[in-house]
Amino acid sequence: MMRPFALGLAMSIALPSLVVAAETAPADVSFADAQVAEPLTEKPGDPAEGRSIFMDRGLGNCLACHVNADLDDQLFHGNVGPEMNGVGERWEPGQLRAIVVNAKQVFGEQTVMPGFYTLDVGVNVAEKYQGKTILTAQQVEDVVAYLETLKGD
Ligand code: HEC
């Protein structure tokens, strides 16, 4: 009677890869009260990763618009948007996630902040971003985890 054992073994091997694959697609993100309450991935965000995405000019490029005292070793902080100091106290995690996923959902259509995990990015989209999101679901979670660490001033 080998078969039940073999089946159980096969399932226990298959399951972890299913868990890794579980993430919310851009079109399935649900907003309620300007919040995205549910994390987009099973894996919790990594603040250190989020910090480097924040300053990476090819990824978040958040620094182009936001002064961030935590990154004062970096040059050229833009001041188009508010300073990031204390942002983890001003907003709930679900609100921060909503802002990063699609700032239009929180600030309205006129905001100049890009939507980082939406396909609804407007008309003047560089060709390389058409049909794609700027950040992956995991990168959004990393950035949100990082923003949550920015307390006080
Ligand atoms: C092109 C400029 C631009 C970029 C790039 C940008 N933002 Fe913003 N952001 C804004 C503006 C402007 C606002 C203020 C809301 C408004 O008036 O539209 C804002 C607001 C915010 C807020 C709310 C701050 C507060 O105190 O109210 C957070 C958090 C935020 N941005 C995070 C980010 C992160 C994280 C990134 C990178 C992944 C990023 N932003 C990239 C322009 C930008």
Side-chain angles (χ1 to χ4, degrees), residues 7 11 14 17 23 27 29 45 49 59-60 65 70 83 87 106 117 128 140 143 152:
L7 186 63
M11 284 178 72
S17 64
E23 66 174 43
V29 179
E49 221 17 72
L59 286 172
C65 290
D70 180 50
E83 292 193 25
V87 90
V106 179
Y117 194 66
K128 64 174 179 170
V140 170
V143 168

Side-chain angles (χ1 to χ4, degrees), residues 3-153:
R3 282 184 73 182
F5 172 74
L7 186 63
L9 188 66
M11 284 178 72
S12 65
I13 291 168
L15 254 156
S17 64
L18 277 177
V19 171
V20 168
E23 66 174 43
T24 308
D28 296 335
V29 179
S30 78
F31 290 83
D33 301 326
Q35 298 210 38
V36 176
E38 287 295 313
L40 305 177
T41 59
E42 303 266 343
K43 187 177 160 217
D46 173 353
E49 221 17 72
R51 189 174 187 267
S52 48
I53 294 163
F54 190 100
M55 60 180 150
D56 188 319
R57 312 245 162 224
L59 286 172
N61 200 16
C62 318
L63 213 48
C65 290
H66 294 286
V67 172
N68 184 350
D70 180 50
L71 299 172
D72 58 9
D73 56 330
Q74 298 285 312
L75 299 173
F76 309 122
H77 297 212
N79 59 2
V80 178
E83 292 193 25
M84 289 290 98
N85 313 5
V87 90
E89 278 169 354
R90 288 198 293 281
W91 300 90
E92 296 296 321
Q95 295 175 308
L96 290 172
R97 185 176 294 108
I99 292 170
V100 177
V101 166
N102 188 355
K104 286 182 176 28
Q105 293 274 352
V106 179
F107 303 122
E109 280 297 316
Q110 78 296 335
T111 188
V112 296
M113 177 160 161
F116 288 91
Y117 194 66
T118 174
L119 300 177
D120 169 28
V121 278
V123 283
N124 297 313
V125 182
E127 206 164 310
K128 64 174 179 170
Y129 291 131
Q130 284 173 14
K132 296 186 196 131
T133 59
I134 302 174
L135 297 180
T136 65
Q138 194 62 55
Q139 287 170 332
V140 170
E141 291 305 315
D142 293 345
V143 168
V144 170
Y146 170 61
L147 295 176
E148 282 175 54
T149 69
L150 302 177
K151 309 251 159 122
D153 44 33

